[in-house]
Amino acid sequence: MPDLLEVVGLTKRFGGLVAVNNVSFTVRDREILSVIGPNGAGKSTLFKLISSFLRPTSGEVRFKGERISGLAPHVAARRGVVRTFQETTIFKNMTVLDNVVTAHHLRSRASLAGFYFGSAAARSDLEAFGASADEILAFLGLAAMRDEIASNLPHGHLRALGIAIALATDPAVILLDEPFAGMNYDETRRALQIVRKLRERGITVLLVEHDMSAVMNISDRIVVLNFGQMIAEGTPAQIRQNPKVIEAYLGVEDESIGL
């Protein structure tokens, strides 16, 4: 599979702190790649750099061969690189359907004035957005909850709604921020199925996650960070046996890293 995303010498400094230090790797089309590491390893900062929420001190991120580092996050999202958050993008007082319809406005053809005055382009957009939102909710198993107020959803379905909101932007790459955090066994199993379905839909998936059992189960490849540096990259089988990874996780029970 061709490389879709390239991380090249990415470094981010906050004063004297080097949060990400000269990290390079590629992500292939329709791959599921996980980024793991101990707390404070630089995972969240790396995700913010890839999704353009932070500007790198040096290095760059390329999507389909073009630099996206330094673009505004919504511009990177329009290009096809979208990051989910742990619920902060959800309007909890709106219905499930309205949340997903609202997210479609990132790719609207009508202007803000057009939506205000109900222009033909705006009406056409809203019709298309509604149909697309229904399709996305059906795809994620949320169709029966389309008219439910988002705040009433259980934890696992809230996470699925966050993914539905990301899908509304028609992404090529989705960055999932701890998609399995706080889930019970059944919720985690369902979330794993959703991630696999994203790949079947033609979407490349990057995820940061602490649930090592889920990571080992779902990933094609894994990148490991420690103190801002990439210390390992490989398949789950290779990562399990890597001595640098084992050393980085010293003090953690072996089963927590899938060993």
Side-chain angles (χ1 to χ4, degrees), residues 170-212:
D170 194 24
V173 178
I174 287 184
L175 290 81
L176 302 179
D177 182 15
E178 298 191 24
F180 313 119
M183 291 187 177
N184 61 35
Y185 174 79
D186 288 336
E187 289 173 331
T188 299
R189 186 165 52 85
R190 184 176 181 276
L192 287 169
Q193 292 172 347
I194 287 175
V195 173
R196 291 190 181 98
K197 288 174 70 174
L198 292 176
R199 192 235 299 275
E200 292 170 6
R201 196 179 176 98
I203 297 171
T204 299
V205 179
L206 277 74
L207 59 93
V208 162
E209 184 53 60
H210 289 286
D211 185 335
M212 290 301 101

Side-chain angles (χ1 to χ4, degrees), residues 15-241:
L17 172 67
V18 184
V20 174
N21 189 4
N22 194 31
V23 171
S24 298
F25 60 89
T26 61
V27 186
R28 301 164 191 147
D29 188 25
R30 303 192 183 193
E31 182 174 34
I32 298 173
L33 184 140
S34 295
V35 178
I36 67 171
N39 289 334
K43 304 182 298 295
S44 294
T45 301
L46 177 64
F47 253 38
K48 290 175 183 177
L49 291 166
I50 294 173
S51 55
S52 290
F53 280 83
L54 283 176
R55 291 176 178 265
T57 304
S58 61
E60 64 182 16
V61 180
R62 301 178 193 138
F63 173 63
K64 295 183 178 179
E66 295 185 2
R67 180 188 173 106
I68 61 170
S69 300
L71 296 178
H74 71 277
V75 176
R78 284 200 185 107
R79 296 277 184 93
V81 180
V82 176
R83 179 189 174 192
T84 67
F85 296 85
Q86 289 188 24
E87 290 177 22
T88 57
T89 55
I90 295 171
F91 296 102
K92 291 194 176 180
N93 293 324
M94 293 171 57
T95 67
V96 168
L97 178 65
D98 285 344
N99 264 278
V100 183
V101 168
T102 299
H104 279 81
H105 283 75
L106 184 71
R107 50 190 175 103
S108 62
R109 295 178 297 111
S111 66
L112 183 62
F115 282 106
Y116 183 81
F117 291 107
S119 69
R123 292 195 301 272
S124 177
D125 274 350
L126 288 174
E127 183 179 354
F129 294 168
S132 175
D134 276 330
E135 185 275 327
I136 290 169
L137 292 175
F139 171 75
L140 294 174
L142 295 173
M145 303 174 187
R146 70 191 296 277
D147 298 318
E148 188 68 63
I149 298 299
S151 60
N152 295 335
L153 296 182
H155 179 71
H157 287 100
L158 271 175
R159 290 297 177 87
L161 177 56
I163 293 174
I165 289 169
L167 285 179
T169 67
D170 194 24
V173 178
I174 287 184
L175 290 81
L176 302 179
D177 182 15
E178 298 191 24
F180 313 119
M183 291 187 177
N184 61 35
Y185 174 79
D186 288 336
E187 289 173 331
T188 299
R189 186 165 52 85
R190 184 176 181 276
L192 287 169
Q193 292 172 347
I194 287 175
V195 173
R196 291 190 181 98
K197 288 174 70 174
L198 292 176
R199 192 235 299 275
E200 292 170 6
R201 196 179 176 98
I203 297 171
T204 299
V205 179
L206 277 74
L207 59 93
V208 162
E209 184 53 60
H210 289 286
D211 185 335
M212 290 301 101
S213 176
V215 165
M216 294 296 172
N217 184 284
I218 197 69
S219 306
D220 296 313
R221 285 188 302 135
I222 299 171
V223 166
V224 187
L225 299 184
N226 194 29
F227 296 110
Q229 294 185 312
M230 191 172 83
I231 61 170
E233 175 185 6
T235 65
Q238 291 169 332
I239 294 302
R240 282 191 188 98
Q241 299 171 9

